C-alpha cells in the first residue's frame, strides 16, 4: 500500500525517464540492424526489459552501462531460434510488434505474457499478419496470447486498419521488412509514428502520407546511436501535479513533444493550463522541449476521436485533472481504453467514485463533472501502472488519506515515480 502525500506546493526541476515506445523500437530495430546500436537514455522499466530479454533469447547480445544500452545487431536474418517461450510480461507493445518480426523468421516461436497481457486482443495483429501470409495462431483459440508463430513467406499488403493503433501499424510495418515490395497501412486517425521515423533513421524506407505509412521490404538496416527523449506519458503526471498545485513552479526537462504523442498538451491548453515550452529542439529525429508548468485554474473540456490516439495513455491523468477542474469534461471515442493494461474506463470510474467524484461511465468514455470536494479512500491500481500514477496525483490534492493498493506496478514504466514525486513536495 502506498500512502499518498498531500501537497499543494509542487516545485523543482526533474527529468523523466526515456520514452517507452522509442526504447522498445530501438531495441527491436537495433537487433535487426547490421552492427552496434547505442540507445542513450533508454527506459529501464519492466516492459522494455521484456523486449530486451525476448531478443536475448534469440541470440542478441546487449550491454547496459549507466543509461546506455548497446545492442549487437545481427541483421534482418540474424535472429536465432529461441529454445523457450518468449515471455512478453505485461507488455502489449512487445507482444504485438515482435509478432510482426517473428512472422518473417525461418523458425517457430511461442509468445506469452502475464494474465493481463494474455487477456488482451491479439486478433488485431493476427488478422493483418495472416493476410501477409504469416502462420500465427492463438493457442487457446480466443484471439489472445499465447501465440504460436511458424515460418512463412510474407507478401506485401495494403491494410486499412479499423483501429488507430501504433502497435497494429508497427506490427505490419515490421513484418513488411520481410516482404518483397511495398507494405502499407492506413489508419482512421494517425497514431504515434516512432516506427516510421526510426526505420528511416536506421537506413530503411518508410514514406508517410497523411494516415498511410508505406514501407519497402528487404532493405538493410544499419546500427545507430540514438538519444532517447523523456516520455511525455511519464511527464503527464507531473504536468498535472504542477497545474493542480497552488504554488511552486516545475521544470520538466527533455520531453518528447512529437505531435502524434503530445495530445495532452493540447488538452491542457484547452483546459486553461499554464505550460510554456523552453528550448525546443530535435533530437535523434524526435521533437523535444523542456516544459515549464505553473499552477492554473482548470476548466472542463471535450476530448474525442481526433486527439485520442495522441493521448490515449494519458486519459487516466486527464480524468484526474477533470475531477478538480470547473465544469464538465466529456471523454468519448475512447473504447480502446477497455483493452489496455486494465479496462481503464472502469478502473478510472471506480477509483474516482471512491474519492467522491461525480463521474459517469459511458460505453466509449466517461463524463466527469469537476469541482466537487473529494475525500480520502483506497485506490485499487488493478496492477495498472498508469492508474497508480494518475491517482497519486489525485492524492496530492486531497487532505484526507488516499492510499494506493498494489502500487509497485509503476515499475512497468517508471520505477522511480514515487521518489521523484516526493522530491517535488517541499
Ligand atoms: C504504444 C501504442 C499504444 C499505447 C501503448 C504504446 C506503442 O497502444 O497505448 O502504451 O508503443 O506503439 P495501441 O497501439 O494499442 O493504441
Amino acid at each position: 500500500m502506498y500512502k499518498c502525500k498531500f501537497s499543494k506546493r509542487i516545485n523543482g526541476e526533474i527529468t523523466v525517464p526515456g520514452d517507452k515506445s522509442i526504447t522498445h523500437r530501438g531495441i527491436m530495430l537495433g537487433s535487426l540492424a547490421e552492427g552496434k546500436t547505442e540507445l542513450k537514455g533508454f527506459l529501464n522499466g519492466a516492459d522494455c526489459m521484456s523486449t530486451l530479454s525476448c531478443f536475448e533469447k534469440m541470440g542478441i547480445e546487449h550491454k547496459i552501462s549507466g543509461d546506455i544500452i548497446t545492442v549487437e545487431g545481427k541483421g534482418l536474418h540474424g535472429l536465432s531460434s529461441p529454445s523457450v517461450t518468449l515471455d512478453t510480461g505485461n507488455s502489449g507493445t512487445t507482444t504485438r510488434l515482435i509478432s510482426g518480426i517473428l512472422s518473417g523468421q525461418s523458425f517457430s516461436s511461442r509468445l506469452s505474457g502475464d494474465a493481463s497481457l494474455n487477456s488482451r486482443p491479439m486478433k488485431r495483429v493476427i488478422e493483418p499478419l495472416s493476410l501477409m501470409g504469416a502462420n500465427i495462431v492463438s493457442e487457446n483459440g480466443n484471439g489472445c496470447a499465447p501465440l504460436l508463430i511458424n515460418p512463412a513467406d510474407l507478401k506485401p499488403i495494403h491494410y486499412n486498419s479499423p483501429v488507430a493503433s501504433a502497435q497494429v501499424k508497427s506490427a505490419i510495418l515490421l513484418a513488411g521488412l520481410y516482404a518483397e515490395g511495398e507494405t502499407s497501412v492506413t489508419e482512421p486517425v494517425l497514431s504515434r509514428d516512432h516506427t516510421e521515423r526510426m526505420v528511416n533513421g536506421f537506413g530503411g524506407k518508410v514514406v508517410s502520407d497523411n494516415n498511410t505509412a508505406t514501407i519497402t521490404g528487404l532493405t538493410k538496416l544499419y546500427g545507430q546511436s540514438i538519444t532517447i527523449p523523456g516520455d511525455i506519458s511519464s511527464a503527464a503526471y507531473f504536468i498535472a501535479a504542477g497545474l493542480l498545485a497552488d504554488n511552486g513552479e516545475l521544470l520538466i526537462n527533455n520531453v518528447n513533444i512529437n505531435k502524434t504523442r503530445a495530445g495532452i498538451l493540447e488538452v491542457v491548453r484547452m483546459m486553461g493550463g499554464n505550460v510554456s515550452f523552453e528550448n525546443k529542439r530535435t533530437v535523434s529525429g524526435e521533437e523535444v522541449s523542456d516544459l515549464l508548468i505553473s499552477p492554473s485554474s482548470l476548466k472542463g473540456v471535450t476530448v474525442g476521436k481526433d486527439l485520442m490516439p495522441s493521448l490515449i495513455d494519458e486519459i487516466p491523468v486527464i480524468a484526474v485533472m477533470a475531477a478538480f477542474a470547473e465544469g464538465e469534461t466529456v471523454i468519448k471515442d475512447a473504447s480502446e481504453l477497455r483493452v489496455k493494461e486494465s479496462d481503464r474506463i472502469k478502473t478510472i470510474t471506480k477509483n474516482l467514485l471512491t474519492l467522491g467524484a461525480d463521474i459517469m461511465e459511458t460505453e466509449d468514455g466517461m463524463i466527469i463533472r469537476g469541482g466537487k470536494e473529494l475525500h480520502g479512500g483506497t485506490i485499487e491500481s488493478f496492477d495498472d501502472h498508469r492508474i497508480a500514477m494518475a491517482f497519486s496525483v489525485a492524492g496530492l490534492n486531497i487532505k484526507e488519506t488516499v492510499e494506493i493498493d498494489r502500487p509497485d506496478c509503476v515499475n512497468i514504466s517508471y520505477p522511480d515515480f514515487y521518489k521523484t514525486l516526493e522530491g517535488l513536495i517541499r
Side-chain angles (χ1 to χ4, degrees), residues 20-21 25 93 96 124 164-167 192 312-313 340:
K20 179 154 83 72
S21 295
R25 287 156 174 81
T93 309
R96 297 197 179 106
R124 52 179 61 201
S165 159
Q167 295 181 356
R192 67 191 68 192
I312 189 72
D313 293 340
K340 295 296 178 190

Side-chain angles (χ1 to χ4, degrees), residues 61-382:
E61 289 176 10
H62 69 265
K63 208 175 72 209
I64 295 185
S65 161
D67 73 339
I68 301 180
I69 301 186
T70 309
V71 176
E72 300 290 341
K74 289 193 166 177
L76 272 187
H77 299 282
L79 299 178
S80 47
S81 170
S83 57
V84 291
T85 292
L86 297 173
D87 181 359
T88 59
N90 190 245
S91 176
T93 309
T94 309
T95 312
R96 297 197 179 106
L97 270 59
I98 216 173
S99 297
I101 295 171
L102 293 174
S103 293
Q105 303 305 316
S106 55
F107 52 78
S108 298
S109 49
R110 181 173 182 271
L111 290 175
S112 185
D114 68 13
S116 153
L117 189 279
N118 285 357
S119 67
R120 295 177 65 186
M122 294 299 151
K123 244 195 197 144
R124 52 179 61 201
V125 291
I126 297 175
E127 274 175 11
L129 293 175
S130 301
L131 290 172
M132 295 180 77
N135 182 340
I136 169 169
V137 291
S138 157
E139 192 172 276
N140 300 324
N142 59 355
C144 298
L147 300 177
L148 301 170
I149 305 179
N150 289 312
D153 286 328
L154 301 185
K155 57 177 192 294
I157 57 165
H158 172 72
Y159 190 65
N160 259 315
S161 180
V163 279
S165 159
Q167 295 181 356
V168 171
K169 170 174 63 179
S170 302
I172 299 166
L173 295 177
L174 291 170
L177 282 172
Y178 292 90
E180 192 177 354
E182 291 187 345
T183 296
S184 58
V185 186
T186 301
E187 306 182 88
V189 180
L190 183 65
S191 66
R192 67 191 68 192
D193 62 358
H194 307 300
T195 303
E196 295 92 303
R197 291 177 188 230
M198 202 184 276
V199 168
N200 285 329
F202 273 81
K205 188 175 175 210
V206 179
V207 175
S208 300
D209 180 12
N210 293 314
N211 299 352
T212 301
T214 304
I215 191 166
T216 302
L218 307 183
T219 46
K220 272 194 180 176
L221 305 177
Y222 298 94
Q224 299 294 316
S225 280
I226 293 173
T227 299
I228 299 180
D231 196 324
I232 192 164
S233 299
S234 297
Y237 308 101
F238 297 98
I239 295 172
L243 295 174
L244 292 174
D246 284 344
N247 68 80
E249 191 174 61
L250 174 61
L251 182 66
I252 312 177
N253 290 312
N254 195 35
V255 180
N256 181 14
I257 53 161
N258 172 330
K259 77 174 187 333
T260 63
R261 288 292 300 284
I264 182 158
L265 297 174
E266 177 57 15
V267 166
V268 159
R269 194 192 59 74
M270 294 188 297
M271 293 181 94
N274 296 317
V275 175
S276 56
F277 295 80
E278 320 253 307
N279 190 18
K280 276 194 186 174
R281 58 224 185 248
T282 298
V283 178
S284 298
E286 294 278 347
E287 295 78 27
V288 175
S289 181
D290 304 332
L291 303 177
L292 187 64
I293 319 292
S294 36
S296 306
S297 303
L298 301 180
K299 54 179 193 288
V301 279
T302 295
V303 188
K305 183 174 171 209
D306 290 345
L307 276 179
M308 201 48 66
S310 66
L311 47 65
I312 189 72
D313 293 340
E314 286 64 77
I315 295 291
V317 76
I318 289 173
V320 165
M321 283 193 286
F324 292 100
E326 275 312 311
E328 186 174 89
T329 290
V330 179
I331 294 170
K332 59 181 185 181
D333 308 317
S335 48
E336 277 296 298
L337 291 176
R338 297 218 179 263
V339 292
K340 295 296 178 190
E341 288 83 330
S342 67
D343 173 345
R344 287 184 181 155
I345 295 183
K346 281 209 172 342
T347 53
I348 292 167
T349 305
K350 179 173 188 302
N351 284 316
L352 274 179
L353 284 173
T354 298
L355 300 178
D358 182 346
I359 176 167
M360 193 179 82
E361 173 177 346
T362 63
E363 205 177 309
D364 67 346
M366 60 202 78
I367 299 171
I368 299 163
R369 289 189 198 88
K372 223 179 134 190
E373 178 124 9
L374 304 191
H375 54 67
T378 299
I379 298 302
E380 278 185 70
S381 74
F382 296 93

